[in-house]
Amino acid sequence: MIQKRNARALVIGGSRGIGAAIVRRLVTDGAHVTFTWSGSRERAEHIARETGSTCVQVDATDRERLLAVVREAGVLDVFVFNAGLLVAGDPLTLDPDDIDRMIDVNVRAAYHASVEAARRMVDGGRIIVIGSGNGDRVPVPGLAAYAMTKSALQSMARGLARDFGARRITVNVIQPGPTDTDMNPADAPAAETIRSVMAIKEHASADDIAAYVSFLTRPEARHITGAMQTIDGGYCA
């Protein structure tokens, strides 16, 4: 963990999949972790009991409530934004309201929450945003709007890295490729097609992504900022 054990970490979107793996890993690293959830209270409370972390319900589209949660977390060493929506399909028929909600979560919430976290972060703190390999590559139809939101995170991280660099706060995006979660299970009907274009023909695990988050919190990662950390088995190679 960055400066000390017992560092304070806040994870936005930590009740399942990659987010839950990040919560578990940061707790294992010695952090005091608070995480947010928006779907299943039962699942969130299970993770909280299992790890000794604290869970808080928030809808990431509710900007004022989201920022209040960040403020209430107190002084932060690590901030991870993992909340995200995937809306895919023919852009001519997708519901515009669904697209706007995805933009609200994937872009607006990521920006506002990261800035608020920086306001109460120690010098040398770490901001980590979970993006997607689709920020670099759109391999199939139907992903235009989703990929747009993930590309936006890249510019956000580059800009905030410069804005907060004088305080030695690093800002990075981790870009998973095919990862075995509820959103993209390794046994899904299309999984073999997805793996066919990968150099390493297997899905990553959520723990693989969490391990990279852990690395970016360490002293050895102090000079990595404004960067895209891609973990995709060569999917975008």
Side-chain angles (χ1 to χ4, degrees):
M1 189 55 66
I2 49 177
Q3 294 105 341
K4 57 185 181 298
R5 292 187 66 82
N6 300 319
R8 294 183 63 90
L10 174 61
V11 180
I12 304 298
S15 64
R16 63 191 182 99
I18 290 172
I22 292 169
V23 170
R24 292 186 180 103
R25 181 58 186 257
L26 292 177
V27 168
T28 298
D29 287 347
H32 292 296
V33 179
T34 298
F35 70 91
T36 71
W37 62 278
S38 64
S40 169
R41 177 182 297 275
E42 181 179 2
R43 191 196 305 255
E45 291 179 347
H46 171 76
I47 297 295
R49 286 193 302 270
E50 173 193 333
T51 61
S53 56
T54 301
C55 62
V56 181
Q57 183 178 19
V58 66
D59 182 339
T61 65
D62 184 344
R63 185 177 67 192
E64 292 308 313
R65 173 61 181 149
L66 176 64
L67 298 188
V69 167
V70 177
R71 288 191 291 269
E72 290 162 7
V75 177
L76 293 172
D77 297 277
V78 176
F79 175 76
V80 182
F81 189 90
N82 177 66
L85 295 179
L86 169 61
V87 178
D90 184 345
L92 299 178
T93 59
L94 287 173
D95 186 336
D97 288 340
D98 290 343
I99 298 299
D100 283 350
R101 179 172 172 80
M102 179 171 66
I103 293 170
D104 284 344
V105 173
N106 294 9
V107 182
R108 293 191 176 101
Y111 173 83
H112 290 302
S114 295
V115 170
E116 189 64 29
R119 286 195 173 98
R120 56 209 63 257
M121 182 167 279
V122 300
D123 289 356
R126 307 298 163 86
I127 296 173
I128 301 164
V129 180
I130 307 302
S132 168
N134 290 130
D136 289 327
R137 183 185 183 196
V138 186
V140 295
L143 294 175
Y146 176 73
M148 173 185 71
T149 67
K150 297 306 181 178
S151 293
L153 296 178
Q154 299 179 348
S155 294
M156 182 193 83
R158 293 184 184 106
L160 293 183
R162 292 196 178 276
D163 293 329
F164 304 147
R167 294 173 55 199
R168 295 178 290 105
I169 293 174
T170 66
V171 186
N172 291 288
V173 178
I174 291 180
Q175 300 189 144
T179 305
D180 187 15
T181 63
D182 293 346
M183 184 180 290
N184 186 12
D187 59 357
E192 285 302 323
T193 300
I194 291 171
R195 286 192 287 269
S196 70
V197 298
M198 298 171 70
I200 300 174
K201 299 186 184 302
E202 60 186 37
H203 278 51
S205 72
D207 288 340
D208 293 330
I209 313 306
Y212 214 145
V213 170
S214 175
F215 170 73
L216 288 175
T217 72
R218 297 178 191 172
E220 295 88 344
R222 68 183 182 83
H223 225 239
I224 301 172
T225 194
M228 311 309 124
Q229 315 293 320
T230 300
I231 310 173
D232 70 348
Y235 184 70
C236 294

